[in-house]
Every structure is written in structure tokens, then in C-alpha cells.
């Protein structure tokens, strides 16, 4: 895993965004990284006119929104990052997800750090659309805060200092890279690593003995596969295996071990054969602590 020398922090001035600040400052300090605070002024949908003039008739109002965005960013930096070196502030307009991705690519960003939050009646079940787009398309790793939407609930500040890392792995070939990245991160942060793997169980039925034997075979196969993988990357982390839904297994293990950071592979979330990556969004949504998606 490369060092995080250029960190991008999208800022929307929400409570969740503000709650993420201590985590950003901690990561910037640990990696001596340059930080970019990035705000996107989004054009309301009803402003769009013709293809050639998307905000025709609203120029004055838009300029005011943009000016206010720049002012808020300056105040945000002064209030929260006045004691932090190498901080840049950038304000742009457009679709937040697209703008974040473009900025990350243009600046050769090593890490995007952002809050996740849904909207509407299903906020507790969905990632915000911006976070989902960034997670789906970003080339660099993405750090996301615990997905908490209640205004009465604070972000888990106890996890600012990373001491325990839970690395969620499947049996895909490049999961070795995820383990190596977790190991390198743990070395940098002086943290401990534990692996978690969700074993797919049989559906059950009248043949209870067969189901038991088959499930034991699955567990033994998973344990052997993970042992081979660890041998290939020269690691020997403790492994936790469990049956159940991937996100629930990861969440329960993170809670039981007071995990500060979950590390998960995200590089091929569209792969039809990766059970872990097909559940990547659910892991991020349900995790009780921040998640680093590689």
C-alpha cells in the first residue's frame, strides 16, 4: 500500500462532515500528507435549461451561491484546520460525485476521506448517492466514516486513533493485496490486524447430517485457502470465520473486538463472482466504525 501523501476531503458543511474532521486530521498527521478541502456548489435540477445554457436566467443567483461557498470554505479552513500545514481549499460547481472523482484524478489523490449519509425515509439503509458514486468509480482508496444519520448521534470519536484493524477478505486471488495493505497500514499506525471471512452456509433441510458435514467442509476449505493466501503474502494474522450475511458478520466482529477501522477490497465491486465485493456497500453502511475501501 502506498503512503497517503495527498488526501482529498470533500466538504458539504453537514454535521456528518464536521464529525469527520478529527479522523482527517489524524490521517494527515500520521502520513504527513497534503490536504485538499473540496466543496462543490451543486446547481439545482430546476435551474437546467437547454443543453447549451444549463443555468440560463439564473446567473446572478448562481454567482451568489458560488461566492458564499468560497466564503464558507475559507471560514471552515480557518476554524477547523488553522493549525494544519499544507491545506488547500478548492470550490467548484457541478455534480458533487463527478466533481470529486475528477478532482481526485487531476490531483493524483492517494486517499479520499468522506462522510456517508443517506436522505429520505430510507436513509438508514442507503449510502448517500455521492458516496456511492465515489466508491463505485474512484481509482484511489476511499475512507468513509461510520454511516450514522441521526442528528442526535455523534460519530464514534473513540475510533480516531486506529489501534485495531479488521480486514474483511474473500478467497479471490487479489485479496492477498488487501491483506498486505492492511499490514502496511497497521505498521504505519502501530495497530493490530485480524482477518474476518464470511463462509457461505448450506440452505439447510431434512438432511441435517449432510448439512453439518458440508458446512464443516466449507469452513475447512476457507481456512486452508486463507492460510495459503497468508503464506503467499508472508502474514500470520488471526482469522475469524463465521456463517451469515457478510455485512452482519463484519459488523458483529467489529463490535466484539472494538475495531477502529475495517479494511475491505473494493477494486472490482462489479465482479459477479466476488461475494465480498458484492456486499461492499452493505459493509460500509453497517460498519460501526470507519471503513477503508481499497
Amino acid at each position: 500500500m502506498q503512503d497517503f501523501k495527498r488526501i482529498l476531503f470533500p466538504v458539504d458543511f453537514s454535521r456528518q462532515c464536521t464529525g469527520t474532521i478529527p479522523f482527517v486530521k489524524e490521517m494527515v498527521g500520521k502520513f504527513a500528507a497534503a490536504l485538499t478541502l473540496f466543496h462543490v456548489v451543486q446547481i439545482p435540477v430546476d435551474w437546467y435549461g437547454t443543453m447549451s445554457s444549463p443555468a440560463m436566467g439564473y446567473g446572478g443567483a448562481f454567482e451568489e451561491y458560488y461566492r458564499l461557498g468560497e466564503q464558507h470554505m475559507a471560514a471552515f479552513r480557518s476554524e477547523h484546520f488553522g493549525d494544519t500545514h499544507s491545506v488547500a481549499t478548492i470550490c467548484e460547481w457541478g455534480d458533487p460525485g463527478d466533481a470529486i472523482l475528477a478532482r481526485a484524478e487531476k490531483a493524483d489523490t492517494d486517499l479520499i476521506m468522506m462522510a456517508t449519509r443517506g436522505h429520505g425515509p430510507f436513509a438508514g439503509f442507503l449510502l448517500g448517492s455521492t458516496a456511492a458514486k465515489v466508491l463505485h468509480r474512484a481509482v484511489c482508496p476511499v475512507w468513509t466514516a461510520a454511516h450514522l444519520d441521526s442528528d442526535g448521534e455523534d460519530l464514534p470519536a473513540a475510533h480516531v486513533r486506529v489501534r485495531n484493524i479488521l480486514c474483511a477478505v474473500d478467497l479471490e486471488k487479489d485479496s492477498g493485496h488487501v491483506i498486505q495493505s492492511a499490514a502496511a497500514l497497521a505498521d504505519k499506525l502501530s495497530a493490530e490486524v485480524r482477518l474476518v471471512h464470511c463462509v457461505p452456509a448450506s440452505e439447510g433441510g431434512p438432511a441435517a447430517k449432510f448439512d453439518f458435514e458440508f458446512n464443516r467442509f466449507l469452513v475447512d476449505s476457507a481456512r486452508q485457502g486463507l492460510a495459503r493466501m497468508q503464506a503467499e503474502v508472508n502474514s500470520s494474522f488471526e482469522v475469524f470465520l463465521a456463517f451469515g450475511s457478510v455485512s452482519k458478520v463484519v459488523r458483529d466482529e467489529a463490535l466484539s473486538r472494538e475495531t477502529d477501522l475495517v479494511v475491505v477490497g473494493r477494486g472490482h465491486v462489479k465482479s459477479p463472482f466476488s461475494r465480498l465485493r458484492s456486499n461492499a456497500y452493505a459493509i460500509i453502511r453497517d460498519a460501526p466504525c470507519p471503513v477503508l475501501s481499497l
Side-chain angles (χ1 to χ4, degrees), residues 189-242:
L189 301 178
S190 300
E192 296 183 355
V193 177
R194 192 166 192 245
L195 306 185
V196 59
H197 175 72
C198 183
V199 182
S202 62
E203 295 298 324
K209 182 177 180 180
F210 173 79
D211 290 335
F212 174 80
E213 293 294 333
F214 183 61
N215 286 343
R216 187 169 65 177
F217 166 76
L218 292 175
V219 170
D220 290 342
S221 296
R223 197 178 300 278
Q224 292 169 12
L226 291 170
R228 287 193 297 270
M229 189 178 298
Q230 290 214 74
E232 291 173 0
V233 299
N234 195 30
S235 70
S236 56
F237 298 126
E238 182 182 359
V239 177
F240 174 75
L241 300 174

Side-chain angles (χ1 to χ4, degrees), residues 228-285:
R228 287 193 297 270
M229 189 178 298
Q230 290 214 74
E232 291 173 0
V233 299
N234 195 30
S235 70
S236 56
F237 298 126
E238 182 182 359
V239 177
F240 174 75
L241 300 174
F243 294 103
S245 71
V246 175
S247 64
K248 185 178 186 302
V249 167
V250 173
R251 176 181 174 80
D252 288 349
E253 182 62 8
L255 285 171
S256 69
R257 291 294 179 131
E258 298 183 338
T259 297
D260 300 304
L261 181 69
V262 171
V263 174
V264 62
R266 176 192 48 92
H268 303 286
V269 294
K270 294 183 287 186
S271 171
F273 304 109
S274 175
R275 188 162 178 254
L276 175 63
R277 291 191 175 91
S278 67
N279 286 275
Y281 294 164
I283 292 173
I284 293 165
R285 178 199 64 205

Side-chain angles (χ1 to χ4, degrees), residues 22 24 30 69 76 96 109 118 134 147 157 171 176 200 220 243 274 286:
V24 174
K30 288 292 186 182
F76 185 88
T109 295
V134 172
H147 187 62
L171 296 177
D220 290 342
F243 294 103
S274 175
D286 295 340

Side-chain angles (χ1 to χ4, degrees), residues 107-139:
D108 197 19
T109 295
D110 298 316
L111 177 67
I112 299 171
M113 298 186 70
M114 61 191 304
T116 62
R117 57 193 184 103
H119 298 280
F122 303 106
F125 302 97
L126 301 173
L127 294 179
S129 59
T130 297
K133 180 180 288 187
V134 172
L135 285 163
H136 187 66
R137 291 171 47 193
V139 176

